[in-house]
């Protein structure tokens, strides 16, 4: 069982308005989004493109609803851009999150990513060469140092269609980066969709996991995506992802391992689907109920 003082429950705005495809949910306002998150019983959020980037405005809107910022995604291009340019962008992102009180910064490597390209996500995942690996690992150690200047940590997001997607990719990344500087974000949905064993990854990297995205997968849609050679974004529109409790992944052992390991941090529901087909409030409530039932919090 989780200790209430160790974990906080959040939800990502991507189910209301999708930053990768802003046309999905463009009608949903920022206020509606955070009000519905709070109504469903969540106290944290990541940032979305409709959120004000003014610290006092954002803090006020969230505190009125007893909410706070857990973290936010940063797209790094360490393999394809000069490190100094990524550092400059990262520092702006870090400083905003610091002002908002977040403790972790989500980093994803988007160099060579096919996440937004219209090609089969399961057939064309990028594979990094030696030089890419050197740039990536050196750059991540540097971003980790920059985060720690503000007593924050980076958590690396493995992701479909990127150079860090599979268990092997994660193993290599974890072994080639400094464990005191680079931590891992554990996203159940991306591992399960990729055909990995999420529980094995969780068990192996528990001490390095400092942020969790809870995302479920509809396996029938995942296999249709594979057969039809769909892109990542088309897979999302087809409904490959859903909230915990509504798909095929069993979260119970994940909750148990996290709780037994004394995990401290956020459990953040992140389940992008088309809001026209899956009402965001309804699905947030399904997730909240499932977490209460299976994780006891
Ligand atoms: O953490 C995430 C952020 C999104 O922008 C991304 O595409 C999604 O799948 C995800 O896991
Ligand atoms: Co995620």
């Amino acid at each position: 069982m989780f200790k209430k003082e160790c974990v906080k429950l959040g939800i990502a705005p991507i189910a209301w308005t999708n930053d990768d495809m802003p046309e999905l949910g463009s009608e949903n306002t920022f206020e509606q989004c955070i009000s519905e998150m709070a109504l469903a019983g969540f106290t944290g959020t990541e940032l979305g493109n409709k959120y004000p980037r003014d610290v006092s405005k954002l803090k006020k809107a969230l505190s009125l609803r007893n909410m706070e910022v857990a973290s936010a995604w940063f797209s790094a291009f360490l393999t394809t851009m000069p490190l100094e340019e990524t550092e400059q962008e990262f520092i702006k992102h870090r400083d905003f999150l610091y002002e908002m009180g977040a403790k972790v910064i989500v980093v994803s490597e988007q160099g060579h990513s096919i996440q937004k390209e219209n090609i089969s996500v399961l057939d064309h995942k990028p594979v990094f060469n030696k030089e890419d690996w050197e740039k990536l690992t050196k750059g991540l150690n540097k971003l980790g140092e920059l985060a720690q200047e503000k007593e924050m940590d980076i958590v690396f997001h493995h992701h479909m269609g990127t150079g860090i997607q599979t268990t092997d990719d994660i193993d290599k990344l974890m072994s080639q980066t400094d464990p005191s500087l680079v931590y891992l974000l554990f996203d159940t949905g991306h591992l399960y969709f990729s055909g990995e064993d999420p529980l094995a990854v969780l068990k192996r990297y528990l001490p390095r996991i400092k942020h969790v995205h809870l995302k479920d997968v509809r396996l029938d849609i995942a296999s249709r995506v594979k057969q039809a050679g769909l892109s990542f974004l088309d897979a999302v529109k087809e409904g490959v992802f859903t909230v915990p409790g509504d798909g095929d992944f069993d979260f119970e052992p994940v909750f148990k391992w996290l709780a037994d390991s004394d995990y401290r941090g956020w459990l953040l529901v992140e389940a992008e689907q088309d809001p026209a087909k899956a009402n965001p409030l309804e699905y947030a409530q399904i997730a909240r109920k499932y977490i209460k039932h299976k994780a006891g919090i």
Side-chain angles (χ1 to χ4, degrees), residues 243-262:
V243 293
D246 187 52
D248 293 290
F249 183 66
D250 180 10
F251 285 81
E252 225 172 312
V254 166
F255 293 144
K256 190 183 173 315
W257 275 87
L258 284 168
D260 291 351
S261 77
D262 247 352

Side-chain angles (χ1 to χ4, degrees), residues 157 187 190 213 215 270:
H157 196 316
D187 186 316
H190 281 277
H213 281 174
K215 201 197 265 315
E270 185 199 46

Side-chain angles (χ1 to χ4, degrees), residues 20 22 46 77 105 113 127 247 268:
D20 296 336
E46 290 190 358
F77 292 89
I105 306 169
S113 167
V127 176
L268 198 119

